[in-house]
Amino acid sequence: MTHRAVPAKAPTSFGARAHDYDRLRPGYPRRALTEAWAALGGGPPGTALDVGCGTGKLAGALAALGHEVTGVEPDPRMAAVAAANGLAVEVATFEEWDPCDRRFDLVACGQAWHWLRAGNRTAKAARCLHPAGRVLLAWNFGSHTPSIGAGLTRVYAAALPHGLPTGEGGRKDLSEADADEYAEELRSHGFAVTKTAVPWQSHLTSREFCTLLGTESRHLALPWAIRRRLLRAVARHLDAEEGGGIRMDYTCVIVGASRAG
C-alpha cells in the first residue's frame, strides 16, 4: 500500500551534516530501551512510528528489538540517509503528516520532541496510537569529567567571548528538566508516565568529537569561519591535554507513556 508523502517545510540545518550526524551522534543503548519497554508493561514488539526520525538512530535500535518501524522526517537529506539504512521513511513534518488509516502500537521520538508544537504533538501522537498503544520519548544527555569540562570552558571562552548562540528556532541546550516537562504534558493528556535513566559511555578521537560538535544546532548557527576556528581550537586542546581523545559520559533518559487501562 502506498501512502502520500506530504511536502516538508524548509529543511533544518542538520541535513547539511546528515552523514556526520549518522556516524557520530550517539545511539540508544539496548538496555535503556528494554528497561523502558518493561516499565510500560512489556509484551511483544509491534508497529512503531518514529517521529522526526533523522537518519534512523532510534528507529534502528527499535527495529533491532523486533519492532516494525516507519519513520517521519521533514528533512529530505536526513530521510535519504535513513532510507539507505533500511528504514521505511516518509518525508513530512509530523504536524502535516497524514497517517491515513494507520495506527501504531508505539509512537517514538528520539532527541526531537522539542522541535514539535507543544500540546499538539501529544494530541497527534495519541491519535496515531492503537487504544492500548504507548509513547516512548528518548534523549541522550552528555557530560564530561570536571577536568575536561573546565578545559573546554576555557577554550570556548577564548574563542567565543559572548558564548554560543541559540540554535535553530531559538532552541537552547536541553536538560533532564525538559524531559520532566514533557512528561507532565503527557500526563495532562491522560497518559500514565514512566521514566528510565541509563548511564553509558563513548570514546571519541579529538577529530571525531569536533565533527560531532559540528552537527549540533548551536554550533551550526555560528558563521562558518568562526565555527571552523572554534573547532580547531577544541581539537588542539584535546590533542595537547587529553591525549587526542575524549570520553563522553551519557545518560539515556526515556519518558514512556501508556493509555492502557
Side-chain angles (χ1 to χ4, degrees):
M1 183 176 184
T2 301
H3 298 280
R4 179 174 61 91
V6 178
K9 293 180 180 178
T12 70
S13 58
F14 298 114
R17 304 297 297 274
H19 290 281
D20 289 337
Y21 188 107
D22 186 54
R23 184 167 62 93
L24 292 171
R25 278 293 182 103
Y28 298 92
R30 185 183 186 94
R31 175 189 160 197
L33 293 171
T34 54
E35 287 186 10
W37 188 248
L40 287 171
T47 56
L49 176 69
D50 185 1
V51 177
C53 67
T55 62
K57 305 291 283 189
L58 179 58
L62 292 172
L65 293 175
H67 295 276
E68 180 184 342
V69 188
T70 298
V72 176
E73 167 56 41
D75 191 307
R77 297 165 296 182
M78 300 286 275
V81 176
N85 288 337
L87 177 65
V89 57
E90 300 176 23
V91 179
T93 63
F94 183 54
E95 291 87 350
E96 296 175 345
W97 178 72
D98 184 358
C100 301
D101 58 349
R102 291 171 290 179
R103 295 295 180 270
F104 298 86
D105 299 307
L106 174 67
V107 171
C109 184
Q111 218 82 21
W113 195 244
H114 59 288
W115 295 108
L116 307 175
R117 287 196 292 269
N120 291 346
R121 58 196 172 195
T122 299
K124 183 158 188 179
R127 293 196 298 272
C128 292
L129 288 170
H130 289 305
R134 289 169 272 193
V135 174
L136 190 153
L137 310 179
W139 296 269
N140 281 301
F141 296 109
S143 63
H144 310 295
T145 63
S147 62
I148 291 176
L152 290 175
T153 297
R154 290 192 296 271
V155 172
Y156 274 75
L160 299 174
H162 302 293
L164 280 168
T166 56
E168 187 172 350
R171 307 295 187 192
K172 296 185 178 180
D173 288 343
L174 294 173
S175 69
E176 290 192 46
D178 295 294
D180 292 336
E181 289 184 14
Y182 304 141
E184 286 303 315
E185 181 182 317
L186 287 160
R187 289 189 184 96
S188 72
H189 283 74
F191 285 92
V193 176
T194 65
K195 183 179 178 182
T196 303
V198 172
W200 65 285
Q201 292 181 350
S202 174
H203 290 80
L204 300 173
T205 68
S206 59
R207 300 309 186 266
E208 288 173 335
F209 179 65
C210 289
T211 302
L212 172 63
L213 291 177
T215 70
E216 295 178 349
S217 62
R218 296 184 71 187
H219 290 80
L220 287 167
L222 290 167
W224 176 81
I226 295 175
R227 182 170 70 245
R228 183 179 65 168
R229 185 165 62 248
L230 167 66
L231 296 182
R232 285 181 173 177
V234 170
R236 286 195 300 270
H237 170 77
L238 294 178
D239 289 343
E241 303 295 333
E242 301 296 338
I246 188 168
R247 188 185 85 189
M248 295 293 298
D249 295 314
Y250 288 109
T251 300
C252 183
V253 174
I254 299 180
V255 172
S258 175
R259 298 190 303 181

